[in-house]
Amino acid sequence: MRNYIFSIIGAGIVCAVTGCLLDKKTAAGQILKILSGILMATTIISPLARIQFSDFSDYWNGITAGADSYVEEGRASAQESVRRIIKSQTEAYILDKATRMDLELAVEVELDDSNNSLPCGVIITGQASPYAKEVIGTYIEENLGIAKERQHWK
């Protein structure tokens, strides 16, 4: 960029000096005026002749590749947020049922690895009678679709 600016300044100085040396009303002065204009136009436009369109395609490909990675990061972040929400809501759902039964439990829900992020297992920690375990287990199976084999009591 620095060389470009210096070349424009240099061309401007050359045009000004030659313009001062000749009378602009003469034929030679008129020709010099035209040539000075051509020199300035060429100096200003010459960087455009050196532009390669592959540079633009490389630049564009870089932008789109960057955009694709940002989109993927956003998608992954959104999926992780959805997973956290599903997990916390499912745990709250089970804890609400346990609280209504006067049980103090801790619940850890496991989600599957699919895009659906469905609850696929649960670890329940706390004291409960066999009857309460059966009621909560049936509740979890019927309402959340977590099979009793995937319900682990500690």
Side-chain angles (χ1 to χ4, degrees), residues 123-145:
I123 299 171
I124 305 167
T125 306
Q127 298 296 321
S129 68
Y131 172 75
K133 287 181 180 181
E134 180 63 31
V135 169
I136 292 210
T138 302
Y139 180 77
I140 291 171
E141 186 173 34
E142 290 176 356
N143 293 293
L144 300 174

Side-chain angles (χ1 to χ4, degrees), residues 5 15 66 72 75 104 137 144 153:
I5 292 172
C15 291
E72 190 54 42
R75 185 176 293 130
E104 291 186 31
L144 300 174
W153 287 82

Side-chain angles (χ1 to χ4, degrees), residues 45-65:
I45 296 174
S46 66
L48 296 176
R50 287 184 241 133
I51 292 176
Q52 296 177 351
F53 289 106
S54 64
D55 294 342
F56 284 119
S57 68
D58 292 344
Y59 177 73
W60 182 254
N61 290 338
I63 288 174
T64 56

